[in-house]
Amino acid sequence: MTTVTASAPTSVAVAEGHRPSFGRLMLSEWTKIRSVRSTIWSLAVLVVLTLVFTALFMQMGIANWDKSSPSQQAEMRLDPTGTILGSGILLSQLAVCVLGVMAIASEYSTGMIRASLLAVPRRVPVLAAKGAVFGLLVLAVGELTAFSSFFIGAPILDSKAPVAIGDPGVLRAVAGCGLYLSLLGLFALAVGAIIRHTAASITVVIGFVLVITPMAGLLPGSVGKHIHAYLPTEAGFMITQQHARAGDLLGPWQGLGVLALWTAVLLVVAAALLRRRDA
């Protein structure tokens, strides 16, 4: 019911003999997203849980400060912003990956994608509008989560690892966290558009984030180090670090650029397959 209603603007445009504008397509996709209460509630719960986990992990870090090793203390003092953002980002990125897949794969599972593609025979604008709306939504939620996490975690760490939003690299790291989550969401959306099966797509994306990337870090030698550094989530996460660390192969913006390139390639593949395959 939701999808049919959301597709109404484009359907009317076709019936009247007009090609729907990209703005109308984005409005249709926005109607779909905000009409599905589970998506809105999932994002709201994501923000709340991320902030709760950030506060808990920071409190635990301070409580166990004297028990931690000198190297751990030094790393936290060197990059308190990365410590704050990293404490809750795992939950955020997993939720964004699932939502990114469901944003398109669920329409294939229910068959509702046919209504949108019938209204827009060229098809690619549908994918572009869906990606634009979802990416902007995740960007807004990601920035809200990142800045809120920082302003919760910074006062807790102040006695051991003081940090302020005006310190070098802090604003870039916090704002970059929202960009990272947005690109990761589009990465997952592209995988969902390619595979077109919700469970299989989620398995692939989560497996890539939680299994393949950590295992690549165990590969020996320089080749293994480069493979690990250029994987999408490992590279993109560099943007959340306040300062470069010893042995980093990529800088913050270079890492985000690698994630953006992975995402762009997958979206191009998804668009090509969308034009060639039946819905």
Side-chain angles (χ1 to χ4, degrees):
M1 178 66 70
T2 299
T3 304
V4 173
T5 303
S7 300
T10 53
S11 300
V12 171
V14 171
E16 295 175 350
H18 298 291
R19 180 179 298 174
S21 65
F22 189 71
R24 295 190 69 177
L25 289 176
M26 289 188 64
L27 178 60
S28 177
E29 293 300 329
W30 170 241
T31 303
K32 289 181 185 179
I33 288 181
R34 67 184 179 87
S35 298
V36 180
R37 293 184 179 180
S38 59
T39 300
I40 303 302
W41 278 108
S42 296
L43 290 172
V45 171
L46 161 66
V47 174
V48 173
L49 288 182
T50 300
L51 299 183
V52 169
F53 272 93
T54 298
L56 288 176
F57 278 114
M58 292 302 95
Q59 291 284 5
M60 290 173 59
I62 294 300
N64 296 309
W65 181 269
D66 294 333
K67 299 179 183 179
S68 59
S69 65
S71 61
Q72 291 175 325
Q73 294 177 3
E75 183 176 355
M76 189 175 293
R77 287 195 178 100
L78 174 65
D79 190 7
T81 304
T83 302
I84 294 170
L85 297 176
S87 61
I89 200 67
L90 179 62
L91 176 65
S92 299
Q93 66 181 10
L94 292 180
V96 165
C97 286
V98 172
L99 289 173
V101 167
M102 294 183 63
I104 189 165
S106 61
E107 290 195 38
Y108 280 102
S109 299
T110 60
M112 292 298 183
I113 190 67
R114 298 188 185 95
S116 297
L117 298 184
L118 180 63
V120 188
R122 291 178 60 192
R123 296 190 173 195
V124 174
V126 174
L127 179 63
K130 189 181 293 291
V133 171
F134 182 75
L136 289 173
L137 176 61
V138 175
L139 177 62
V141 174
E143 296 293 2
L144 172 64
T145 305
F147 277 93
S148 299
S149 295
F150 177 81
F151 287 115
I152 287 175
I156 299 175
L157 282 183
D158 186 67
S159 61
K160 302 296 183 181
V163 62
I165 194 69
D167 291 346
V170 174
L171 182 59
R172 184 262 305 151
V174 178
C177 185
L179 292 172
Y180 167 73
L181 291 175
S182 180
L183 285 172
L184 185 62
L186 291 175
F187 178 92
L189 185 144
V191 172
I194 292 171
I195 298 177
R196 305 199 302 181
H197 187 279
T198 304
S201 300
I202 291 175
T203 300
V204 169
V205 175
I206 300 301
F208 207 96
V209 173
L210 291 183
V211 181
I212 295 179
T213 299
M215 287 184 63
L218 302 177
L219 295 174
S222 176
V223 174
K225 187 175 181 180
H226 279 77
I227 291 175
H228 182 247
Y230 281 87
L231 290 175
T233 52
E234 182 66 22
F237 196 70
M238 298 292 294
I239 194 67
T240 67
Q241 294 182 4
Q242 182 179 347
H243 300 294
R245 302 181 183 183
D248 286 345
L249 297 179
L250 299 172
W253 291 111
Q254 291 174 322
L256 192 69
V258 169
L259 173 59
L261 182 60
W262 274 87
T263 303
V265 170
L266 288 179
L267 285 172
V268 169
V269 172
L273 293 176
L274 182 63
R275 294 181 63 181
R276 296 176 56 184
R277 298 189 298 194
D278 294 332

